[in-house]
Amino acid sequence: RSWRSLLAAFDTASGIRFRWSTAHGCISNRWTSGRAILAEFGTLQMEFYMLSSKTGRTVYRREGRGMHSALLNRLYPTKGLLPVFLDADSGSTTEKVSLGAMGDSYYEYLLKVWILFGKQDEMLRGMWERAMDEMLEQLVYKSAPSGFTYVASKTDYGSIAYEMEHLTCFVPGMLALGAHHGGVKERKAARYMKAAEEITQFCYQMYIKMPTRLAPDIVEIKRGAGLRGRGATAAPNRQRPEAVESFFVLYRVTADPKYREWAWTVFTTFERLVLGQMGGMPACRTSTVQRPVLTDKMQSFWLAETLKYLYLIFMPPTTFSLDEWVLNTEAHPMKISP
């Protein structure tokens, strides 16, 4: 019965999964005008593939891969970067493109599913490579006059939004992981690694340029004005893991000790400003004033992801090998198939 409940969400004309709640007649996601979200239907393949592996029911893997096939063969045969909203029946959409909220883990899973199951699915690897090439050509910019490299996004109307979300800080770790696993040829891998190192530097700057030394959710990049938290005095730090995730991957791939140093700086800042307050590790309402205003809330991913990456970066590689395990988008380890 439970597997039938999961699969009910796949019954759409386009092959794109709709929200599970909507598939069961619950209240629709009105804020998206009923459209499916890229990072939602594109971030279940690792788990569904593992369900097939553990239960023997091939339907999970088939349905998970079917969504990628629908995107490649029917909806976007020539595109790598995809819009964050799609109509699950018609496939119609808007121009908004982001590797942050609502887009991020779709791209992450193209690579990680390929790695997880023995690097055999060339469709997924090719979709990932095309997306990364388009990202580097269309969305990667340098701040002025500091010259830091960041990943912008596209608005609903296709124009460039010169800002970067903390969520997007997973990108350099993803690029480095792809280069490490041979996801692209050697010459292109060097380009990916260069971009990964430069974008990771930007993510570190998101912390140290703020008065609290805690990164806001989004930074705006204004020519001549440097980085600033969007919303001036209302740029929250939500204890997100993406920056330290990339510090961890970059450290493992390059062995450069600076990534450990950056991770330690981030951890000690949390420890100094937040740890022990309100009996836990609450998030901050704003990162752009000297003393952060705390919320009465600790994010679950602080424990599941942020602290896990901070722990792993200081452990020997034998504790967790990137060649034997892959972490899903919530940092749960899955054993790589031979």
Side-chain angles (χ1 to χ4, degrees):
R1 183 179 179 87
S2 59
W3 66 268
R4 288 193 182 94
S5 297
L6 287 172
L7 295 174
F10 291 82
D11 187 19
T12 63
S14 68
I16 300 302
R17 181 183 76 91
F18 207 49
R19 290 181 68 94
W20 186 88
S21 59
T22 305
H24 286 264
C26 300
I27 296 173
S28 177
N29 46 331
R30 294 190 182 96
W31 67 275
T32 69
S33 300
R35 297 168 295 182
I37 301 170
L38 183 64
E40 195 173 61
F41 65 75
T43 313
L44 51 78
Q45 284 73 16
M46 290 180 72
E47 293 76 13
F48 267 43
Y49 279 35
M50 290 300 289
L51 272 175
S52 285
S53 177
K54 299 299 182 183
T55 66
R57 294 182 182 275
T58 59
V59 63
Y60 296 116
R61 182 167 184 166
R62 184 175 67 248
E63 292 291 355
R65 194 177 190 278
M67 286 188 288
H68 286 134
S69 297
L71 288 170
L72 180 65
N73 299 324
R74 295 210 301 267
L75 299 177
Y76 299 103
T78 62
K79 279 190 176 183
L81 293 176
L82 302 185
V84 297
F85 297 123
L86 292 92
D87 185 284
D89 291 314
S90 69
S92 63
T93 185
T94 67
E95 296 296 318
K96 184 176 177 61
V97 173
S98 172
L99 279 92
M102 300 181 290
D104 46 9
S105 46
Y106 161 76
Y107 303 100
E108 178 186 4
Y109 270 36
L110 290 177
L111 174 68
K112 288 186 174 180
V113 173
W114 174 73
I115 295 170
L116 181 62
F117 289 92
K119 305 178 186 178
Q120 297 176 14
D121 196 328
E122 278 300 299
M123 180 186 78
L124 297 181
R125 190 210 60 78
M127 291 172 73
W128 179 76
E129 181 180 1
R130 181 188 294 176
M132 295 303 98
D133 287 349
E134 289 184 11
M135 177 194 73
L136 292 173
E137 292 297 328
Q138 299 176 24
L139 297 180
V140 172
Y141 289 85
K142 287 188 178 292
S143 61
S146 56
F148 294 123
T149 303
Y150 67 98
V151 183
S153 58
K154 289 185 180 180
T155 69
D156 288 325
Y157 306 101
S159 59
I160 296 296
Y162 297 99
E163 59 187 31
M164 182 164 162
E165 299 176 48
H166 191 284
L167 287 166
T168 311
C169 282
F170 89 98
V171 166
M174 175 180 60
L175 288 170
L177 191 66
H180 173 75
H181 278 283
V184 289
K185 293 182 179 179
E186 186 174 347
R187 187 170 181 179
K188 186 176 285 187
R191 182 189 180 204
Y192 280 21
M193 280 303 304
K194 182 176 185 294
E197 293 181 25
E198 291 177 354
I199 298 166
T200 305
Q201 166 74 21
F202 185 92
C203 293
Y204 180 58
Q205 295 298 316
M206 287 174 67
Y207 281 83
I208 64 172
K209 294 294 186 184
M210 296 298 117
T212 57
R213 295 174 75 85
L214 292 176
D217 243 17
I218 303 174
V219 293
E220 295 176 325
I221 297 91
K222 302 290 186 182
R223 178 172 291 276
L227 285 60
R228 68 179 188 182
R230 196 174 81 177
T233 60
N237 174 279
R238 293 193 169 95
Q239 308 163 314
R240 294 198 188 277
E242 293 79 19
V244 293
E245 174 186 358
S246 286
F247 297 167
F248 163 66
V249 176
L250 267 290
Y251 175 69
R252 285 295 186 84
V253 171
T254 68
D256 190 330
K258 73 183 179 185
Y259 297 112
R260 271 185 165 179
E261 295 167 7
W262 293 357
W264 186 247
T265 296
V266 170
F267 173 73
T268 54
T269 301
F270 276 117
E271 186 179 45
R272 175 174 54 86
L273 293 179
V274 183
L275 183 62
Q277 303 292 323
M278 301 184 182
M281 183 66 85
C284 302
R285 294 189 190 279
T286 177
S287 59
T288 56
V289 295
Q290 289 295 333
R291 295 295 302 178
V293 178
L294 304 181
T295 69
D296 190 18
K297 181 179 183 180
M298 183 175 75
Q299 301 290 341
S300 61
F301 48 72
W302 165 254
L303 298 175
E305 300 180 72
T306 310
L307 284 182
K308 187 179 293 180
Y309 288 121
L310 286 167
Y311 169 77
L312 288 173
I313 197 171
F314 293 104
M315 293 296 103
T318 52
T319 303
F320 183 89
S321 172
L322 292 180
D323 296 317
E324 297 177 10
W325 299 88
V326 62
L327 292 160
N328 76 351
T329 194
E330 301 301 327
H332 302 308
M334 296 184 181
K335 188 77 170 179
I336 296 174
S337 298

